[in-house]
Amino acid sequence: MNLFRLYATLILLVTLSACVTVAEPTRANNKFVISSNFEKDIKLDENSTFALAPLQMNRSDALHPLVTNAIEQYLKNSSLRQIHNGQQPTFYISYVLKSEKDLSDKALTENFGINPGLPAMAELKKGTLMILISDGKTKQHLWKGAAQGFAIDGLSDEDKKLRMQRIVTATFRQFTHHP
């Protein structure tokens, strides 16, 4: 009987090892994780306004258009009105978009006090979108959210836009849909 169990166990192990699935980069790179934290209680209403105050510019000193457009679209769809030309908003929206080599998990935790914790994968480049929301009057941080995902090479402009909208929407839902 012991010899039978040994053979059965060996056959089971060989069968299971053949069925182990390793996440393929093409699937893993579509995933992202989000973490957020409220610093203070926030009340959103029909009079809430926002202004963008990005923490970084791209190489040509312009805002990151995919991020900026996705944030503006989501907040406008959530009935927040954007303020321009030096008017005082209810909220300032700041963001940073960095690769793992420019903003490590350790630096994210130490500098922002938040880390979604997406595990690194050697064959994929991890990136982080960090969003900070501050009070329009006091400039105190009210909320922070971070989304981490893997860069996907070869996406069309439309697919890049849709992916960024998906990431921004999922991140901001934690801000606009809090109890």
Side-chain angles (χ1 to χ4, degrees):
M1 189 69 161
N2 285 342
L3 189 58
F4 174 75
R5 280 189 179 162
L6 180 64
Y7 283 126
T9 303
L10 184 59
I11 290 171
L12 181 62
L13 286 173
V14 169
T15 304
L16 286 177
S17 67
C19 295
V20 172
T21 306
V22 176
E24 295 177 35
T26 55
R27 290 191 184 142
N29 63 7
N30 277 323
K31 297 179 181 173
F32 56 90
V33 294
I34 299 168
S35 183
S36 69
N37 183 32
F38 283 89
E39 304 285 323
K40 284 180 80 177
D41 191 30
I42 297 173
K43 187 160 183 121
L44 296 173
D45 61 33
E46 66 277 355
N47 297 316
S48 296
T49 60
F50 73 95
L52 288 174
L55 297 173
Q56 87 181 104
M57 301 291 194
N58 68 15
R59 289 184 188 115
S60 61
D61 287 334
L63 303 178
H64 290 278
L66 286 177
V67 179
T68 300
N69 293 339
I71 289 172
E72 288 174 344
Q73 181 180 344
Y74 179 80
L75 292 175
K76 287 175 185 176
N77 290 342
S78 298
S79 299
L80 274 78
R81 194 170 35 91
Q82 188 169 8
I83 298 295
H84 297 283
N85 301 328
Q87 295 176 313
Q88 184 175 327
T90 309
F91 305 109
Y92 284 107
I93 311 293
S94 303
Y95 66 83
V96 175
L97 181 63
K98 294 282 189 179
S99 69
E100 183 178 28
K101 78 174 186 176
D102 296 325
L103 183 63
S104 68
D105 285 347
K106 182 179 177 184
L108 187 62
T109 302
E110 290 173 357
N111 296 329
F112 295 104
I114 193 168
N115 182 355
L118 181 68
M121 294 183 73
E123 65 277 7
L124 297 173
K125 297 176 203 160
K126 183 167 68 169
T128 301
L129 172 63
M130 180 71 207
I131 300 171
L132 299 168
I133 298 181
S134 303
D135 184 275
K137 291 179 185 174
T138 66
K139 312 281 191 297
Q140 288 183 311
H141 293 293
L142 302 173
W143 179 86
K144 55 189 165 192
Q148 286 183 324
F150 296 108
I152 302 175
D153 295 327
L155 287 180
S156 69
D157 289 344
E158 185 62 26
D159 286 340
K160 287 177 187 176
K161 178 182 172 183
L162 292 173
R163 185 160 192 253
M164 185 55 68
Q165 286 174 340
R166 204 172 116 227
I167 292 168
V168 165
T169 296
T171 305
F172 269 100
R173 277 194 180 138
Q174 295 190 24
F175 171 66
T176 59
H177 290 89
H178 75 283

